[in-house]
Amino acid sequence: MPSGNEKADLKAQERREFLSYVWGLGLALALTIVPFAMVKWGAMTPLAVLAVIGVLALVQIVVHFRFFLHISFRQKREDLQLLIFSALILSIMLAGTLWIMASLGLRMGMVQN
Amino acid sequence: MLAHPFGRLRLQALPFWDMLQHPSKGVVINGIIATGAALMVVLGGIVTVALISRYRLWRVLWSQWLTSPDHKKIGVMYVVLAFVMLIRALLEALLMRAQQAYGLGGGFLTPNHFAQLFSTHGTIMIFFMAMPFLTGIINYVMPLQIGARDVSFPVLNSISLALTAAGAALVMISLVLGTFSTGGWLGYPPYTEASFSPGVGPDYWIWALTLSSLGSTFTGINFAVTIYKKRAPGMTLMRLPLFTWTALCTSILMIFAMPPLTVATAQLALDRYLGFHFFTNDLGGNMMHFANMFWLFGHPEVYILILPAFGVYSETISTFSGKALFGYRSLVVATMAIGVLSFTVWLHHFFTMGQGADLNAAFGVATMLIGIPTGVKIYDWMWTMFRGRIRFSVPMIYAMGFMLLFVLGGLSGVLLADPVIDYQVHNSVFLVAHFHNVAVPGLLFGMIAAYHFWFPKAFGFRLDERGGKVSAVCWILGFMLAFFPLYALGLMGMPRRTVAYTEPAYVPLETVAFFGAILVVAALCALGVQLWVSIKHRHANRVFVGDPWDGRSLEWSISAPPPEYNFAAIPVVTDRDAFTVMKESGAAYTAAVPFEDIEVPRNSALGPVLGAAGFAIAFGLVWHIWWMVIIFGTIVITAMIVRGFARNTSRVVTAEEVRRQHQHWMDAVARAEPIARDKETTSANEGLAMPIDTGAEQ
Amino acid sequence: MSDGIAKHPGLNLGPGHGKDDAAAEGLMFGFWVFMMSDAILFGMVFATYLTSLSATAGGPGASQLYDLTSTFVETLLLLASSFTFGMASLAMKYRHSERRLVAWLLVTLLLGLAFIGVELHDFASMAAKGGVPTRSGFLSAFFDLVPLHGLHVAAGCLWMIALLGQLVRYGVDTKAKLGIMRLALFWHFLDIIWIAIFSVVYLPGCMHAIG
């Protein structure tokens, strides 16, 4: 049975973790509403909007990892290593594919405009 | 659905149907060959079933093997599967070599039949020979090397095996019903699209690969987690045996390289089944993206195959040279470097597809870079042998053959890495020579070496040494005769996958290659005879004590075969080459006190059920038998949900039982006569190695 | 911090759960690895979509087919479900009543089902405008990517129902806890994929409608 002191500790910890979810929800909401609003009301040039969408998406992904999946630098090292390695492989694959397919599309006359 | 309960499965699917309908000479020859192959599958199945029934082995097969979550048994079953598939794919190779030897102006096979042969040969060798072989060896050895009692997810392991076996069964049944794909092991669209290949062939290929790649993904996850989470105390990463390092790297590659293949084949399936337009010629399809995704998988796959073999050679060269591995750290770094670099070179498989020269140059450079870590490895192995007391046992002969031949294969690879040269020889048999030159001496020799090296551990007796040497020499010579001529033929301009040709200058070299193929088949037969002889003489060659080769890592520190829980007490590791350290410090062969109850997973039918259902779903999809797909799909989901409700999933081996088995082994150790290294291949070898200063140095 | 260093991704049960917490480490890591593999799978499907943007073959394009409002609703549904799943995880970790845990899971399940409902409605209205996968390479890629995510959500819902069954049958025991923890990882992961989907597919697609 947890002693009174531990109980208070747990209570504080639960409150902290609850607030972490609330923070996550709030941040994610803000990071969602902004790009949707920009697209809806066309605030800037298309290229600028695209850039903002991309950046906010990356930020929101980090927010989800941090507040919902509880990934942080206090993680055991292999989990974080794995995440970073996955991100590396994914970017190699995506960037390589886009480069290759763009080059092919251009040279093989597949791009219409 | 009611009008055709068996979908598009008709009598025409039988291999002799065509021959009876249109009996011309060519059709009859091909019909006889196809029917013969189908008969071999059917008879093989019947004989197996009959033998199992005759000796009343069904219960044993089910309760001791098929439902077993024990990584050692799963490993053995993987290797058995690999050997069965190796026999088929090698016979196909022989048939293709024969066809090409007689291929001046015709030959005896129809183009369609020949195309099926090279498609199944490639598909089987990669997915159903090489992958099961290395998965089986890793399964058996890796948990023992890290001092673990099993892999992290034993039941998932059994599911992976069942899925792989289901894929293999699908390829086998394609011999009896319908025809396999004629699109090569790569299955490039648009040729494999429904408009050009409307039959069942590409569907067989798609679903066999899907089953196998699902199994491989789960295997990769299982191995990686095991190596990360289940190491014995003191077994830090930099103390891992090199084979385990390569197993880790291969697992990581499996985890990340299988998804692109799954996506590519799934999209091809969507095209074929539901009329999507990923890779079609019309309506915005782009077949070049298939090649891109296939090789995003395909190149890491090459290293999935070769790395465990590198690990095996590292172990055998070190053990049979009686020395610690030279440059351990550099070997680890080289392995991991290869792992990452393997994701950066996939474009070199399609240099000629039409992208810009800048891209080709970048990927050509990246490809040549991989040669560096591989070269480091070769030097490390040579330095390990330098001043060692080398014993020319069978695994060592394979290792020597590998080092010589693999360097040649690697050099031809560096040639091909130059886009300018690649433009000249791409799609010629030069390429066929190159990839066989790395795959056969690299992967296959490595796996056969591993089979010889760890067989005594798994079954408790050594394989016959003489048969092994005969086979090894046949493999090496046969390989050289079969593939060196192909380099020349490629430079002479012979395209790959050619059923017949009109150039008489090809004939002499093709004939040599055919004899090479015969020699390789003889090598396989020698392996069979060797196994037969070894089983017959098993009592004379027992090595129950468990260390027949003066081994260096933990798997040799336990009995052969090991108990189901592997280690009576989890070993504590203090340095690299853990067992050698134990032997030198006198810590080996001590009583494990106190004995404890050991929890082991209960048998589970989930693996066989999912495997069988997976096979049925795939078969239904191939033949458009939709009720079969629905029923077995429901069974898969239900089985997984029911498994979620299972609670009592482990049982206990009591401390008393562990103590009894351990005592039995310790008694054998006490009785055994230590063996010197020069007598290790004689019947005097009971599996207890003489200390190094009195043994190897004599 | 009293909870110390996290052993695995996702909400850690903490030492108070004894052997359940110990059993979680390997299992959660394994599931995490599986999701990384799944992420590569999605990555390739995203790559297919991006390389097929111009392959409309004269058929309807993004601007005619996508509906920004409905995408926004779907996003909010998934985000809310991520939050409610978090509440379920907290209820489990801090040993609130089983009723509370089940209630949060049910709310999450309903939000998930609502998401699937809206998505299906979306697909139907796209089909009504001629946006079917057999029309063009672009539409094939769209219907590979977005429904793949939808299928994952559906699988998550099925898994949740199975877990609710386990809770009813066995209460909150080790295996049920570990199941809920893995499903939590899966659920949050799917929400992350959805961020990528609305940022790569829907928002740029709808942008052209205005610009």
Side-chain angles (χ1 to χ4, degrees):
Chain A
M1 270 284 111
S3 68
N5 212 351
E6 281 170 20
K7 255 187 179 156
D9 254 14
L10 272 181
K11 203 91 192 146
Q13 191 188 332
E14 180 179 1
R15 190 173 160 68
R16 219 171 27 243
E17 288 184 342
F18 170 71
L19 282 178
S20 147
Y21 278 105
V22 174
W23 264 106
L25 181 67
L27 284 172
L29 260 181
L31 290 163
T32 301
I33 291 172
V34 171
F36 271 88
M38 284 172 72
V39 170
K40 176 88 183 164
W41 289 292
M44 292 185 263
T45 61
L47 202 65
V49 176
L50 271 184
V52 173
I53 291 173
V55 171
L56 292 188
L58 284 179
V59 175
Q60 188 172 178
I61 286 173
V62 173
V63 165
H64 277 241
F65 271 124
R66 173 71 190 82
F67 293 100
F68 293 158
L69 284 162
H70 309 279
I71 301 283
S72 69
F73 282 95
R74 293 188 304 123
Q75 207 73 37
K76 277 206 141 186
R77 276 184 61 225
E78 58 240 39
D79 297 294
L80 196 65
Q81 273 172 0
L82 182 71
L83 189 62
I84 293 168
F85 184 75
S86 308
L88 171 75
I89 297 296
L90 196 57
S91 24
I92 292 175
M93 286 180 167
L94 278 173
T97 297
L98 294 181
W99 188 17
I100 292 167
M101 296 316 289
S103 172
L104 279 165
L106 207 66
R107 292 164 54 90
M108 309 299 272
M110 309 251 321
V111 184
Q112 268 114 29
N113 44 358
Chain B
M1 210 152 116
L2 287 175
H4 296 294
F6 294 104
R8 47 178 174 169
L9 186 56
R10 306 276 195 283
L11 280 175
Q12 285 92 314
L14 292 168
F16 47 82
W17 189 263
D18 212 25
M19 170 170 82
L20 300 178
Q21 299 301 308
H22 319 279
S24 70
K25 189 177 161 218
V27 174
V28 169
I29 291 176
N30 284 275
I32 288 173
I33 293 173
T35 311
L39 267 179
M40 274 163 76
V41 174
V42 173
L43 284 179
I46 291 174
V47 168
T48 311
V49 168
L51 283 178
I52 294 172
S53 307
R54 165 81 177 72
Y55 294 102
R56 299 168 192 279
L57 292 174
W58 283 110
R59 186 180 294 274
V60 176
L61 185 69
W62 178 258
S63 60
Q64 308 267 323
W65 291 91
L66 296 182
T67 57
S68 170
D70 183 340
H71 72 97
K72 299 184 288 298
K73 288 182 171 159
I74 291 174
V76 170
M77 285 188 278
Y78 263 116
V79 174
V80 170
L81 175 68
F83 267 118
V84 170
M85 299 312 279
L86 175 65
I87 294 170
R88 171 175 169 191
L90 213 54
L91 289 178
E92 289 175 335
L94 183 69
L95 209 52
M96 284 189 285
R97 281 277 135 260
Q99 160 67 21
Q100 286 199 332
Y102 293 98
L104 183 63
F108 54 92
L109 290 179
T110 58
N112 210 36
H113 198 163
F114 188 76
Q116 275 188 61
L117 284 172
F118 66 67
S119 304
T120 43
H121 172 81
T123 306
I124 289 174
M125 282 300 197
I126 300 287
F127 294 101
F128 300 109
M129 191 288 286
M131 295 292 274
F133 214 145
L134 68 91
T135 308
I137 300 284
I138 295 175
N139 241 316
Y140 199 96
V141 176
M142 179 272 287
L144 297 179
Q145 283 198 332
I146 62 172
R149 292 217 161 104
D150 206 327
V151 293
S152 283
F153 311 114
V155 175
L156 185 68
N157 204 10
S158 143
I159 296 172
S160 299
L161 168 68
L163 291 175
T164 312
L170 201 64
V171 182
M172 289 313 258
I173 202 114
S174 77
L175 275 178
V176 184
L177 296 172
T179 55
F180 198 75
S181 172
T182 50
W185 80 279
L186 322 146
Y188 274 0
Y191 176 70
T192 45
E193 288 285 356
S195 43
F196 301 105
S197 300
V200 293
D203 299 328
Y204 267 128
W205 178 81
I206 288 171
W207 301 118
L209 256 62
T210 304
L211 286 169
S212 130
S213 60
L214 269 179
S216 297
T217 311
F218 294 147
T219 297
I221 294 171
N222 214 339
F223 287 166
V225 176
T226 305
I227 296 173
Y228 266 118
K229 297 288 184 191
K230 298 204 72 145
R231 300 192 304 271
M235 182 62 90
T236 57
L237 285 176
M238 286 316 274
R239 287 177 186 164
L240 287 179
L242 209 90
F243 178 73
T244 296
W245 263 111
T246 57
L248 175 61
C249 198
T250 280
S251 317
I252 293 174
L253 293 186
M254 283 184 188
I255 295 162
F256 291 101
M258 288 294 158
L261 175 70
T262 307
V263 171
T265 50
Q267 291 181 344
L268 183 61
L270 286 171
D271 277 6
R272 289 179 61 85
Y273 283 82
L274 298 175
F276 280 45
H277 291 282
F278 289 108
F279 315 120
T280 53
N281 284 355
D282 54 347
L283 292 175
N286 186 351
M287 65 290 289
M288 294 185 287
H289 189 44
F290 182 92
N292 175 62
M293 284 192 291
F294 188 91
W295 289 112
L296 266 168
F297 145 77
H299 199 84
E301 169 73 13
V302 172
Y303 290 93
I304 290 175
L305 299 182
I306 199 71
L307 285 174
F310 285 174
V312 171
Y313 293 126
S314 302
E315 302 288 323
T316 56
I317 288 175
S318 157
T319 303
F320 291 110
S321 302
K323 278 179 68 189
L325 203 55
F326 181 89
Y328 173 89
R329 194 169 289 270
S330 66
L331 277 165
V332 170
V333 172
T335 302
M336 295 323 266
I338 290 176
V340 176
L341 281 175
S342 70
F343 282 103
T344 63
V345 300
W346 74 95
L347 178 126
H348 71 218
H349 294 273
F350 47 91
F351 272 149
T352 58
M353 199 156 74
Q355 62 280 4
D358 49 347
L359 258 165
N360 278 356
F363 278 83
V365 171
T367 305
M368 291 181 197
L369 282 179
I370 285 205
I372 298 171
T374 316
V376 168
K377 292 188 161 212
I378 297 275
Y379 283 108
D380 279 334
W381 291 320
M382 293 200 305
W383 281 108
T384 305
M385 288 164 64
F386 180 66
R387 288 192 162 167
R389 290 184 164 263
I390 300 169
R391 290 111 68 189
F392 285 99
S393 55
V394 177
M396 202 57 184
I397 296 176
Y398 280 109
M400 310 290 272
F402 154 77
M403 282 166 75
L404 284 171
L405 295 173
F406 191 80
V407 168
L408 286 177
L411 281 177
S412 64
V414 175
L415 289 179
L416 285 165
D418 184 337
V420 183
I421 297 175
D422 185 78
Y423 260 82
Q424 301 304 313
V425 289
H426 89 107
N427 254 6
S428 75
V429 289
F430 187 90
L431 174 74
V432 177
H434 159 70
F435 68 69
H436 282 91
N437 200 345
V438 282
V440 178
L443 169 99
L444 189 61
F445 287 7
M447 290 302 113
I448 298 177
Y451 160 72
H452 283 86
F453 190 53
W454 281 298
F455 185 94
K457 176 51 59 182
F459 296 99
F461 59 96
R462 283 181 306 105
L463 283 168
D464 179 63
E465 195 70 11
R466 205 165 54 136
K469 282 182 177 161
V470 170
S471 177
V473 171
C474 286
W475 272 114
I476 293 171
L477 289 179
F479 163 79
M480 292 198 282
L481 285 177
F483 290 101
F484 285 175
L486 265 59
Y487 280 121
L489 283 166
L491 293 177
M492 288 158 74
M494 183 176 181
R496 73 192 287 204
R497 296 175 174 170
T498 314
V499 60
Y501 46 86
T502 53
E503 171 59 67
Y506 294 166
V507 175
L509 288 168
E510 283 289 358
T511 312
V512 174
F514 178 44
F515 279 110
I518 293 176
L519 207 50
V520 166
V521 172
L524 185 70
C525 295
L527 277 184
V529 173
Q530 179 208 29
L531 183 62
W532 176 259
V533 171
S534 309
I535 291 175
K536 229 172 96 181
H537 298 159
R538 63 187 178 281
H539 295 298
N541 295 323
R542 291 250 185 246
V543 287
F544 178 62
V545 174
D547 181 26
W549 316 122
D550 193 14
R552 312 183 71 82
S553 37
L554 286 175
E555 76 269 32
W556 305 108
S557 70
I558 49 177
S559 66
E564 66 168 328
Y565 43 82
N566 295 349
F567 297 93
I570 296 293
V572 177
V573 177
T574 52
D575 204 351
R576 228 170 266 161
D577 287 342
F579 185 46
T580 301
V581 173
M582 285 165 133
K583 283 190 275 192
E584 283 168 358
S585 66
Y589 308 115
T590 47
V593 275
F595 292 97
E596 286 174 343
D597 287 356
I598 296 173
E599 206 173 310
V600 293
R602 267 181 207 282
N603 281 18
S604 164
L606 190 62
V609 167
L610 291 187
F615 173 81
I617 293 171
F619 188 80
L621 283 167
V622 167
W623 290 100
H624 296 187
I625 311 173
W626 306 123
W627 58 264
M628 203 179 214
V629 178
I630 293 165
I631 288 176
F632 284 95
T634 317
I635 288 178
V636 166
I637 294 171
T638 315
M640 291 200 291
I641 291 174
V642 168
R643 173 72 191 176
F645 279 83
R647 282 302 182 272
N648 188 14
T649 54
S650 62
R651 65 189 167 84
V652 167
V653 181
T654 61
E656 178 49 31
E657 175 63 17
V658 177
R659 195 200 60 76
R660 198 187 59 72
Q661 291 185 6
H662 191 74
Q663 194 53 48
H664 174 62
W665 176 59
M666 287 300 286
D667 292 346
V669 174
R671 275 197 310 273
E673 197 68 40
I675 190 84
R677 284 310 95 205
D678 54 348
K679 297 199 180 59
E680 69 180 354
T681 54
T682 65
S683 294
N685 190 349
E686 295 174 75
L688 183 63
M690 196 177 276
I692 195 87
D693 44 350
T694 53
E697 303 288 327
Q698 261 169 15
Chain C
M1 298 257 297
S2 53
D3 52 348
I5 287 171
K7 280 203 178 100
H8 56 76
L11 192 65
N12 279 233
L13 284 175
H17 285 256
K19 71 175 173 50
D20 298 353
D21 185 45
E25 186 176 343
L27 198 58
M28 295 298 280
F29 183 59
F31 196 73
W32 184 246
V33 178
F34 166 68
M35 287 196 327
M36 293 299 115
S37 188
D38 211 26
I40 303 284
L41 192 89
F42 272 108
M44 293 323 295
V45 182
F46 271 107
T48 309
Y49 179 80
L50 285 172
T51 56
S52 308
L53 279 176
S54 62
T56 48
S63 50
Q64 291 106 303
L65 296 172
Y66 297 168
D67 179 358
L68 193 63
T69 316
S70 151
T71 309
F72 190 62
V73 172
E74 286 165 287
T75 309
L76 291 185
L77 283 172
L78 265 196
L79 184 57
S81 78
S82 254
F83 182 76
T84 56
F85 208 134
M87 295 303 103
S89 302
L90 286 180
M92 184 172 78
K93 176 170 178 176
Y94 295 100
R95 303 178 194 278
H96 297 299
S97 65
E98 190 180 328
R99 185 188 292 261
R100 188 152 147 194
L101 168 62
V102 170
W104 279 120
L105 285 178
L106 279 175
V107 173
T108 312
L109 178 64
L110 286 179
L111 287 167
L113 291 174
F115 169 84
I116 295 173
V118 177
E119 190 163 59
L120 285 177
H121 175 262
D122 260 12
F123 294 159
S125 66
M126 280 177 75
K129 289 181 226 163
V132 287
T134 49
R135 178 61 191 83
S136 69
F138 164 73
L139 282 161
S140 294
F142 173 88
F143 279 101
D144 193 19
L145 173 56
V146 183
L148 180 67
H149 173 267
L151 268 179
H152 274 74
V153 176
C157 290
L158 189 62
W159 190 1
M160 200 175 305
I161 293 168
L163 281 173
L164 285 167
Q166 287 186 34
L167 285 178
V168 170
R169 172 81 176 73
Y170 299 106
V172 195
D173 69 344
T174 306
K175 216 175 153 185
K177 279 185 198 171
L178 295 176
I180 292 169
M181 286 163 74
R182 274 176 293 162
L183 180 57
L185 278 195
F186 186 68
W187 202 267
H188 295 311
F189 167 78
L190 288 181
D191 204 1
I192 292 178
I193 298 289
W194 182 258
I195 299 171
I197 288 183
F198 77 69
S199 304
V200 172
V201 177
Y202 286 112
L203 287 181
C206 292
M207 223 169 72
H208 295 294
I210 302 141

